[in-house]
Amino acid sequence: QVQLVESGGGLVQAGGSLRLSCAASGRTFSGYAVGWFRQPPGKEREFVAGVRWAGAITYYADSVKGRFTISRDNAKNMVHLQMSSLNPEDTAVYYCATRDKYSPRLVVGSEYDYWGQGTQVTVSS
């Protein structure tokens, strides 16, 4: 059984940075896409960033492009989300996800099979 655990969330002031991590057990990330999603208070879950293992292709939501960076650590079987220039609109529960099947898309949450429990990120103004 694949299990994902996020860490690194917390409270930060606007303009600050946080680094989220996603650790996998039960299977390696290698060869599979990984995505970060978030759910702001009272809103739907939305795509944030994703990475294809093949070629390390990354993709970002427009709202975070230039501020967030997704990266992988093959040796530790982890994926990170470096978040900079945070603003209150980034406040959300952040989830990492991975999947078994190939899809050309990274942004569709329903195409992911495994999800972490989420980590809270709160950005104060």
Side-chain angles (χ1 to χ4, degrees):
Q1 181 71 12
V2 178
Q3 291 188 319
L4 305 180
V5 178
E6 303 94 339
S7 61
L11 174 63
V12 63
Q13 287 189 330
S17 299
L18 280 175
R19 185 192 192 214
L20 305 184
S21 297
C22 177
S25 61
R27 194 190 71 189
T28 176
F29 276 136
S30 181
Y32 300 93
V34 178
W36 282 97
F37 292 78
R38 67 187 181 186
Q39 187 164 18
K43 296 184 179 180
E44 297 289 315
R45 182 182 64 195
E46 61 186 21
F47 170 80
V48 175
V51 59
R52 295 187 194 288
W53 230 253
I57 296 171
T58 58
Y59 187 73
Y60 299 91
D62 287 343
S63 59
V64 307
K65 204 171 293 183
R67 300 188 298 124
F68 291 11
T69 302
I70 187 171
S71 63
R72 61 190 195 191
D73 184 334
N74 294 340
K76 295 183 178 179
N77 202 32
M78 297 181 73
V79 173
H80 304 290
L81 184 69
Q82 178 67 47
M83 307 186 296
S84 303
S85 301
L86 287 162
N87 58 64
E89 289 69 40
D90 296 315
T91 294
V93 178
Y94 284 72
Y95 301 89
C96 68
T98 191
R99 61 195 184 200
D100 291 328
K101 302 181 185 66
Y102 171 79
S103 168
R105 303 176 295 190
L106 288 169
V107 305
V108 180
S110 59
E111 294 184 350
Y112 289 80
D113 302 301
Y114 309 103
W115 293 80
Q117 83 289 348
T119 186
Q120 177 70 48
V121 172
T122 302
V123 184
S124 63
S125 57

